[in-house]
Amino acid sequence: MISLIFNQIIKSSATTSIIKSHIQEMEKLVSSWCKNKPLPESYIFPPETRPGNLVVPTCNTVPVIDLNKAEGQNRTHIVQQILKAGQEYGFFQVVNHGVPENLMNESMDVFKEFFEMPWEDKAMLYSEDPKNSCRLSTSSVNYAREKIHHWRDNLRHPCHPLQDCIKHWPQKPVRYREVVATYTIEAKKLGLRILELVSEGLGLESRYFGDKLSESEILSINHYPPCPDPSLTLGVAKHCDPNLLTLLHQGDVSGLQVFNNGEWIGVEPLHNAFVVNIGNQLQIISNNKLKSVEHRVVTNSRVARTSAGFFIGPSEDSIIEPEKSLVDDAPFYRAFEFKDFLLHYFPNLEDNEVVMGHFKSQA
Ligand code: OGA
Ligand code: NI
């Protein structure tokens, strides 16, 4: 249908064929076909990984940390809370974090507006090539090769260095670039502040993570349309984040679950909070003093959910290894280049043991 209308609009042949293939591929976006359709077979997870019963315990929720208190005499206490949450849950939420509330709201609005735009405004960004610097895609990393599709559409782009990256960001909604540029600058500041608190807790100098280890910034915006059968599918299957630290703006619709003590627990949406989680690299550098923990996203049948992950990570040529002062006996991991981690991560991302096992030290 979309392709038919499209044929009538575009005349120039080179552009036509490029955009035409985008349009055909774009029809894979969950949001482009899902309305009033039953859940297709290809979205049904095997019984052992599907969420099934969606009622998850909430008594055991991840810690909420008030960053206002980090600037006064309670700083040591806040540092301890962060470390404890990083060890026990791999996750915590931060409130009073300094990113202005209107910027949080405006960014979420613009992310939602992006996905609500008509297909012709998004078509040029659709790509199945993970190397594209700004891409709209669907499901997980490789739609063509994966056995089961995930119930999500995704827009992702790097954010640093800003002046190079911003040229590739969406031109619509018209305020996207302006709002998102300010948002990513603020999110990076907050990320560095949290990393300083983490460094203090680990006994490292406060700028330890401040340079190449946090050079990469990627914004990944997820759109999960209402789903006809949330018990059979997932928005994102279980995984750990491969980077250093993630700041997630999950809006006000629940869906994120974290694996803790043998069960999945829901991360309650708190207005104006960020969900923070420890990435694989922070676990490795801290020699397991902090944990990167498996998490997943369940869908719901009532409303669309939009979330935005801001991934702070090392430059690809960074050498990653456990920090010597944090090794008591022997390091748990060997040294490696971050780009080699990513090469091993993507084909194995649903099995964190396999991912991390590859980088364990032999000693
Ligand atoms: C991710 C992720 C969680 C969410 O994109 O890595 O875990 O709530 N997203 O969308
Ligand atoms: Ni994640």
Side-chain angles (χ1 to χ4, degrees):
M1 172 64 179
I2 293 176
S3 326
L4 275 180
I5 306 167
F6 181 78
N7 280 340
Q8 293 163 0
I9 305 170
I10 302 280
K11 298 280 184 298
S12 140
S13 66
T15 332
T16 311
S17 66
I18 296 168
I19 303 184
K20 221 172 175 174
S21 71
H22 280 243
I23 301 297
Q24 270 157 11
E25 288 174 336
M26 250 187 98
E27 286 177 350
K28 294 177 193 147
L29 290 175
V30 181
S31 49
S32 73
W33 56 261
C34 69
K35 217 155 181 208
N36 303 322
K37 293 264 169 49
L39 186 72
E41 191 101 7
S42 57
Y43 285 78
I44 300 180
F45 277 67
E48 61 281 12
T49 50
R50 67 176 70 147
N53 179 7
L54 290 169
V55 180
V56 297
T58 47
C59 50
N60 216 0
T61 45
V62 307
V64 178
I65 298 177
D66 181 349
L67 283 190
N68 244 352
K69 298 195 178 136
E71 300 317 317
Q73 56 200 21
N74 287 324
R75 188 171 175 93
T76 325
H77 179 60
I78 296 299
V79 166
Q80 289 316 317
Q81 277 190 335
I82 291 181
L83 273 225
K84 189 157 183 278
Q87 282 154 4
E88 287 178 11
Y89 292 87
F91 270 78
F92 52 95
Q93 304 209 54
V94 290
V95 292
N96 293 323
H97 46 63
V99 181
E101 183 167 357
N102 62 350
L103 183 59
M104 298 285 286
N105 293 339
E106 256 193 297
S107 317
M108 186 48 81
D109 288 348
V110 100
F111 298 148
K112 288 182 182 163
E113 277 167 40
F114 174 84
F115 284 100
E116 281 159 9
M117 290 192 306
W119 59 270
E120 59 269 35
D121 288 336
K122 294 182 286 212
M124 283 312 283
L125 292 173
Y126 189 92
S127 163
E128 294 188 4
D129 179 358
K131 291 191 211 75
N132 263 23
S133 57
C134 176
R135 83 174 180 127
L136 172 64
S137 64
T138 189
S139 190
S140 188
V141 242
N142 195 329
Y143 186 93
R145 273 203 272 155
E146 68 199 7
K147 280 199 225 96
I148 304 161
H149 302 312
H150 298 193
W151 191 266
R152 91 156 163 183
D153 297 334
N154 177 263
L155 171 72
R156 102 176 18 218
H157 55 67
C159 311
H160 178 84
L162 183 60
Q163 60 275 30
D164 297 338
C165 299
I166 199 167
K167 307 195 269 269
H168 304 287
W169 293 4
Q171 286 176 289
K172 284 186 184 177
V174 280
R175 59 191 183 130
Y176 186 95
R177 291 184 180 181
E178 190 191 334
V179 171
V180 177
T182 315
Y183 176 79
T184 58
I185 290 166
E186 289 298 314
K188 179 67 183 284
K189 264 199 242 162
L190 172 60
L192 289 178
R193 203 172 142 216
I194 295 169
L195 286 167
E196 273 183 32
L197 294 165
V198 167
S199 309
E200 279 179 45
L202 293 173
L204 307 173
E205 53 135 344
S206 61
R207 294 282 303 156
Y208 185 90
F209 296 104
D211 192 14
K212 286 192 78 131
L213 292 176
S214 58
E215 190 178 285
S216 153
E217 299 166 31
I218 294 167
L219 184 67
S220 168
I221 306 154
N222 302 300
H223 174 71
Y224 309 96
C227 172
D229 196 340
S231 71
L232 298 180
T233 191
L234 285 165
V236 180
K238 79 169 161 73
H239 68 284
C240 287
D241 293 354
N243 54 327
L244 191 67
L245 193 79
T246 306
L247 266 53
L248 180 84
H249 183 356
Q250 68 161 340
D252 49 17
V253 181
S254 61
L256 175 62
Q257 297 183 340
V258 172
F259 201 63
N260 181 260
N261 272 334
E263 63 185 2
W264 289 102
I265 57 173
V267 183
E268 204 185 322
L270 282 184
H271 187 66
N272 204 29
F274 275 103
V275 178
V276 181
N277 71 292
I278 309 292
N280 287 143
Q281 305 318 303
L282 194 45
Q283 171 167 345
I284 293 169
I285 295 168
S286 73
N287 203 37
N288 286 354
K289 299 235 170 353
L290 297 169
K291 278 194 308 185
S292 56
V293 166
E294 285 179 319
H295 51 286
R296 67 181 188 183
V297 179
V298 298
T299 61
N300 78 79
S301 55
R302 293 163 291 108
V303 280
R305 176 171 186 267
T306 303
S307 69
F310 184 70
F311 295 88
I312 298 176
S315 60
E316 292 217 332
D317 63 349
S318 292
I319 303 293
I320 306 296
E321 61 186 323
E323 156 59 34
K324 303 255 176 335
S325 65
L326 302 177
V327 174
D328 304 322
D329 249 340
F332 289 113
Y333 304 94
R334 60 182 172 85
F336 56 86
E337 220 175 327
F338 183 53
K339 64 165 152 324
D340 292 332
F341 189 91
L342 292 177
L343 283 179
H344 184 72
Y345 174 83
F346 285 107
N348 299 298
L349 91 171
E350 283 176 40
D351 195 335
N352 190 50
E353 297 253 319
V354 170
V355 170
M356 294 294 259
H358 192 72
F359 298 94
K360 288 226 162 101
S361 67
Q362 300 305 312

